[in-house]
Amino acid sequence: MASLRQGHAEIRRRMENDLGATQYYGLPYYARWITTAARVLVEKGIVTTDELGRKVDEIRTRRREELS
């Protein structure tokens, strides 16, 4: 199990490094985390960018409805 977590941490570090300095230093920690997680999911073919976009839109709509 430890080697699996280590592999995930390495993938996350690599993807964060690939963000570039502007995004890396311009985004808060959790924004970097979710950005790299999304990139890994797309890169591995687990979800498509369209699926992610639809889900984000769905969550934004639900949140707006909760606040109104």
Side-chain angles (χ1 to χ4, degrees):
M1 183 66 146
S3 65
L4 182 60
R5 278 182 289 195
Q6 187 177 21
H8 288 285
E10 182 57 35
I11 290 170
R12 184 183 55 79
R13 276 192 294 274
R14 180 180 60 83
M15 294 299 279
E16 281 186 353
N17 289 339
D18 290 347
L19 283 176
T22 302
Q23 282 191 326
Y24 185 86
Y25 292 111
L27 294 173
Y29 172 81
Y30 288 108
R32 286 194 316 264
W33 186 91
I34 196 67
T35 300
T36 57
R39 288 180 67 194
V40 168
L41 292 171
V42 170
E43 185 179 274
K44 295 199 175 283
I46 296 169
V47 296
T48 66
T49 54
D50 289 339
E51 290 170 321
L52 282 174
R54 283 193 301 273
K55 189 53 134 175
V56 168
D57 290 342
E58 176 187 319
I59 292 167
R60 283 182 180 148
T61 299
R62 188 172 59 228
R63 182 69 176 143
R64 272 192 296 264
E65 290 170 357
E66 290 172 355
L67 294 174
S68 52

